Amino acid sequence: MKRIASSALCTALFCVSSASLAATNLVIATVNNGHMIEMQKMGKFFEQANPDIKLKWVTLEEGVLRQRMTTDIATKGGQFDVMTIGMYETPIWAKKDWLMPLKPDATYDIDDLLPSIRDGLSLNGKLYAAPFYGESSMIMYRSDLVKKAGMSIEDRPSWAHIRAVAAKIHDPAKGVYGICLRGKPGWGDNMALITTMANSFGGQLFDMKWQPQFTSKPWKDAVTTYVDLLKNFGPPGSSSNSFNEILALYNEGKCGIWIDATIAASFVTDPKQSKVADKVAFAQSPIATTERGANWLWAWSLAIPKSSKQPEAAQKFINWATSKDYIKLVAREAGWASVPTGTRKSTYASPEFMKAAKFAAAEGTAIATSRPNQSTLPPSPYVGVQYAAIPEFQTIGVAAGQQMSAALLGKVTVDQALAVTQQAAEREMRKGGYYK
Amino acid sequence: MTRLLPRTLLTPAVLAIAIISIVPLLITLYYSFVRYSMLAPGEHDFHGLANFHFFFTDGAFLPALKNTFVLMFSVMAITVVLGIALGLLINDAFPGRAIVRVLLISPFLVMPAVNALMWKNMLLNPIYGLFAHVSIFFGATPIDWLSEYPLLSIVMMVSWQWLPFACLIFMTALQSMDKEQLEAAGMDGANYLQQLRYLYLPHLGRAVSVVLMIEMIFLLSVFAEIFTTTGGGPGFETTTITFMIYQQALQSYDIGAASAGALFAVLLANIAAFFLMRVIGKNLAK
């Protein structure tokens, strides 16, 4: 059976590969967001420098990309030479021996990578994916509205304080909503935020025995807070909003407070797309009882699958795309405000960047304080802040996300939603053989 | 000999069909009894009935079963009733009938995913959708359809997609109505309702059976509309068996459980087809 499947696959692949010409075709799977689209434009510079390599891009939406890559790598398809993977996949796939350890050249300066990002992309001290850009989460708020309300938002405010400010500036009649948060179901959508909230209440995803903790008090408090905030001071239709939808609302001046990816800062402060570019201020994510895991950590990174047909060319491309020089190249071509951030100390040491990006300091702090291997107050067996780097987590996260959106819509109570999530999580862990 | 020749000539076709349909089914059957997760590729060790157990005890299973049938039967009812009404409306000649007919058919040619995106963004969006504008015009609060009434929204989309198909079948069926019989009924003083009851509807019986048969086969596997709008949520409200199989295969990467689910779906389709065949078969035999 397996032979039939693999021989069919080989035939298909043979047809694909026999079409390749003398120049090496490097197939790169990547995700369709701003920085990656920029990388495709910059690709011509790489091709000029390496005339024997032609870049072929496969650009997909995050969820679809993940499916395609997982399917390809699990069936040893070999469709891609370079894959764009997140911090969640990297340690899992490295452990399964699906990725080649990276061997950057001498000019790469591997110690320039931010330590928390490097940790999240390494296994046993070896780097398996090179960070293209990194992000954490932070508060982005409208300084004008907050000032008018006679209040202020400092770094690490309490959730209660955030609620008080949101209540003060909530003015739906004028089209301004107190707070905008992700509500769209998905482990990388609403669950990313909710998990950091639960962490800040002193919660965790699993205890040291791998028992899911969704019915614990910190989770109840966090989800109750989340539902309460959005129900009372959020925009309508929150349950289908994720990053891009809220970004559009924020740029139209409809959100008072937004807690989301640091990468958003470069968009909301860009006068070309944001009506409130000069009225945005930043603060470190809110906390309840602990700072640990209160802001997430994520990096889109480039890795070479074991099935890559062009490992040398792939390594060459990765060296180029995640180097200091690439950042300088983007700065020259598109301006310092558009460079991929959150990967290198040298970026934050550049005076031009710090001048061009008023969010740089807040972003740097957020990334530096997020520690994937120490993300919860009680000890946890997993690595990751807003996720657990185990294969079972995706399913659990998807199921949890659906329940949270149902709770947000008031279709089920918070307790019911968490109980269903807990059950689904326990099933999945049992299926994965963590316990009987 | 005379028997043998046609059969021999038929074998290539029969074999081709067998390979196309039976082999994938056998592979699915094999996968459903082994432990096969894409996240842990390796040996497929025998798993007994565990895949079936996990699929049937999934929290989403019962809601999915319910939703599959609710979706299927609502769309069937809506398309048959509205299809007959529309078919009767455009049965008589009027200026511009040809154009109206083309417009009526067009939704059927729209791809399911495009249809879903159109509904989601242009009609149902609570902030800038058409329905929201209409309700604001009348001073009402816009409804966030996809989160308040998710399954109803999906039913609307799929019905819109399948209405032209039903309408087309009924339209052609009405063309073959016996005109003399209708005239005679008119002469005898039968009003329109009576004509509808005793002439039109019995005449359309066979067409209705055909529409139900074909729709059932396709509606069991509705996927694109759910994938592009609600993603099976909120909660399990729009998760169908088809969507559940997708989730098992491509979100949990559990090919074993997905195969078990797929076999269940095959069984479901066969049971439904069996009953429908009996009911409709009687109807067609008349």
Side-chain angles (χ1 to χ4, degrees):
Chain A
M1 202 54 72
K2 224 195 305 189
R3 233 182 333 193
I4 294 179
S6 57
S7 63
L9 212 68
C10 289
T11 325
L13 284 172
F14 178 74
C15 299
V16 174
S17 59
S18 61
S20 63
L21 300 164
T24 309
N25 274 330
L26 197 66
V27 185
I28 305 162
T30 191
V31 67
N32 65 342
N33 59 29
H35 284 313
M36 306 295 175
I37 307 283
E38 191 70 45
M39 171 165 66
Q40 294 182 38
K41 285 190 206 143
M42 298 294 155
K44 61 175 190 281
F45 292 101
F46 178 79
E47 286 177 333
Q48 279 161 13
N50 302 278
D52 55 332
I53 303 176
K54 272 199 79 58
L55 302 180
K56 282 204 154 38
W57 300 91
V58 179
T59 314
L60 298 160
E61 191 253 333
E62 182 176 334
V64 182
L65 176 80
R66 206 170 258 123
Q67 284 169 15
R68 285 276 306 267
M69 290 192 307
T70 307
T71 319
D72 180 71
I73 211 159
T75 54
K76 302 197 171 55
Q79 296 175 48
F80 308 113
D81 300 311
V82 177
M83 288 185 173
T84 305
I85 61 178
M87 213 177 243
Y88 163 70
E89 292 90 354
T90 309
I92 299 177
W93 291 5
K95 201 181 265 164
K96 289 197 181 298
D97 202 24
W98 287 353
L99 302 174
M100 299 202 179
L102 295 180
K103 301 188 187 71
D105 51 12
T107 57
Y108 189 81
D109 190 3
I110 197 163
D111 293 319
D112 184 42
L113 299 177
L114 296 171
S116 56
I117 299 271
R118 188 178 164 181
D119 280 353
L121 298 172
S122 299
L123 184 76
N124 309 329
K126 267 198 221 141
L127 190 67
Y128 280 90
F132 183 71
Y133 78 87
E135 62 171 46
S136 181
S137 55
M138 62 182 177
I139 309 171
M140 289 158 275
Y141 65 94
R142 289 274 303 279
S143 47
D144 57 327
L145 297 176
V146 175
K147 199 175 266 167
K148 212 168 80 188
M151 303 181 89
S152 68
I153 296 182
E154 307 296 329
D155 280 344
R156 301 287 184 205
S158 70
W159 282 105
H161 180 69
I162 288 290
R163 189 183 193 278
V165 177
K168 253 306 201 351
I169 56 184
H170 184 60
D171 191 355
K174 287 213 184 92
V176 177
Y177 301 97
I179 188 162
C180 296
L181 299 171
R182 297 175 173 202
K184 190 179 178 179
W187 72 264
D189 292 306
N190 62 352
M191 282 319 284
L193 173 84
I194 295 173
T195 307
T196 56
M197 285 179 76
N199 289 342
S200 79
F201 277 84
Q204 60 189 146
L205 289 161
F206 305 98
D207 69 2
M208 287 310 279
K209 294 199 187 76
W210 288 108
Q211 289 287 346
Q213 297 297 305
F214 293 106
T215 43
S216 62
K217 190 172 179 319
W219 270 91
K220 271 183 194 161
D221 294 345
V223 178
T224 309
T225 305
Y226 165 81
V227 170
D228 162 75
L229 279 170
L230 278 185
K231 256 208 184 112
N232 294 314
F233 318 114
S238 271
S239 62
S240 46
N241 287 354
S242 196
F243 181 84
N244 288 320
E245 291 85 357
I246 302 178
L247 179 61
L249 287 173
Y250 199 95
N251 284 345
E252 285 296 312
K254 290 188 184 298
C255 295
I257 302 171
W258 182 24
I259 301 159
D260 211 308
T262 47
I263 198 81
S266 58
F267 305 127
V268 295
T269 53
D270 174 8
K272 280 202 283 290
Q273 53 175 309
S274 166
K275 289 183 181 168
V276 293
D278 54 347
K279 306 187 186 76
V280 190
F282 308 101
Q284 296 303 308
S285 294
I287 56 170
T289 55
T290 175
E291 269 191 29
R292 271 198 199 171
N295 42 316
W296 71 64
L297 189 70
W298 185 255
W300 279 115
S301 328
L302 301 175
I304 310 169
K306 275 260 159 85
S307 53
S308 167
K309 293 195 203 57
Q310 319 287 353
E312 292 84 16
Q315 180 67 60
K316 213 183 246 182
F317 174 78
I318 291 177
N319 287 349
W320 171 81
T322 60
S323 64
K324 291 179 196 173
D325 289 345
Y326 176 84
I327 292 170
K328 287 191 190 113
L329 176 72
V330 178
R332 199 184 68 213
E333 297 287 319
W336 272 103
S338 320
V339 301
T341 54
T343 53
R344 290 176 167 272
K345 296 172 197 162
S346 55
T347 312
Y348 293 91
S350 144
E352 297 102 320
F353 173 67
M354 295 309 270
K355 205 167 77 203
K358 65 172 187 173
F359 56 86
E363 177 186 80
T365 309
I367 292 174
T369 54
S370 193
R371 308 258 294 279
N373 26 18
Q374 202 184 47
S375 62
T376 55
L377 192 59
S380 295
Y382 58 88
V383 173
V385 181
Q386 76 283 18
Y387 58 86
I390 53 170
E392 290 73 18
F393 174 75
Q394 271 195 69
T395 311
I396 296 172
V398 169
Q402 286 288 22
Q403 291 306 317
M404 295 308 120
S405 76
L408 177 59
L409 287 164
K411 291 178 185 280
V412 293
T413 65
V414 169
D415 286 356
Q416 282 168 326
L418 287 169
V420 173
T421 306
Q422 177 74 10
Q423 253 175 343
E426 280 172 4
R427 262 174 57 90
E428 205 55 40
M429 297 305 277
R430 210 170 293 128
K431 211 161 146 184
Y434 285 80
Y435 41 77
K436 279 282 170 275
Chain B
M1 181 63 216
T2 45
R3 268 274 184 74
L4 199 63
L5 184 66
R7 286 195 182 175
T8 321
L9 291 173
L10 269 176
T11 31
V14 173
L15 272 178
I17 289 173
I19 288 170
I20 288 169
S21 63
I22 308 278
V23 170
L25 191 67
L26 289 176
I27 294 179
T28 310
L29 198 65
Y30 164 73
Y31 282 155
S32 66
F33 288 101
V34 298
R35 184 196 297 271
Y36 180 13
S37 159
M38 274 202 230
L39 297 169
E43 282 313 301
H44 305 329
D45 41 347
F46 185 69
H47 209 20
L49 291 172
N51 286 328
F52 293 90
H53 170 81
F54 273 120
F55 191 85
F56 294 141
T57 53
D58 194 302
F61 176 72
L62 287 175
L65 200 57
K66 190 188 107 228
N67 292 336
T68 306
F69 284 113
V70 168
L71 176 68
M72 193 166 85
F73 288 122
S74 334
V75 174
M76 278 173 161
I78 291 170
T79 49
V80 167
V81 172
L82 287 182
I84 291 179
L86 278 173
L88 287 167
L89 257 182
I90 54 172
N91 191 27
D92 302 319
F94 60 89
R97 182 166 75 160
I99 295 171
V100 169
R101 281 188 175 178
V102 171
L103 288 178
L104 265 178
I105 305 304
S106 53
F108 195 55
L109 307 177
V110 176
M111 283 173 254
V114 176
N115 159 24
L117 284 175
M118 237 161 50
W119 275 81
K120 176 183 173 179
N121 294 316
M122 290 161 74
L123 300 174
L124 301 178
N125 185 295
I127 295 169
Y128 50 80
L130 182 74
F131 292 7
H133 282 301
V134 171
S135 43
I136 288 170
F137 179 79
F138 287 110
T141 335
I143 301 171
D144 184 1
W145 286 88
L146 285 170
S147 33
E148 301 282 332
Y149 308 106
L151 194 56
L152 179 65
S153 307
I154 304 277
V155 167
M156 289 196 292
M157 285 172 213
V158 182
S159 300
W160 182 79
Q161 180 105 62
W162 281 91
L163 186 57
F165 167 77
C167 190
L168 188 67
I169 304 271
F170 296 139
M171 220 157 63
T172 40
L174 285 170
Q175 298 291 306
S176 64
M177 279 287 281
D178 191 344
K179 294 280 185 297
E180 286 181 17
Q181 212 182 18
L182 277 176
E183 267 177 34
M187 300 283 280
D188 293 341
N191 62 24
Y192 187 73
L193 277 181
Q194 287 166 323
Q195 288 184 15
L196 193 67
R197 166 78 185 77
Y198 292 101
L199 294 175
Y200 284 106
L201 290 184
H203 176 81
L204 285 175
R206 193 172 288 196
V208 169
S209 316
V210 169
V211 167
L212 289 180
M213 271 289 288
I214 293 184
E215 279 193 1
M216 198 204 77
I217 293 165
F218 282 95
L219 291 177
L220 267 175
S221 58
V222 164
F223 172 78
E225 288 85 352
I226 300 171
F227 176 78
T228 40
T229 55
T230 61
F236 303 130
E237 291 198 30
T238 51
T239 303
T240 61
I241 296 289
T242 315
F243 197 80
M244 227 180 115
I245 294 169
Y246 153 79
Q247 278 180 323
Q248 298 282 355
L250 286 169
Q251 286 183 341
S252 309
Y253 302 108
D254 187 342
I255 304 298
S259 301
L263 286 182
F264 172 74
V266 170
L267 191 72
L268 200 70
N270 277 310
I271 292 170
F274 175 75
F275 280 112
L276 212 69
M277 282 288 202
R278 292 196 57 169
V279 173
I280 289 169
K282 279 198 189 115
N283 205 338
L284 291 178
K286 264 186 216 161

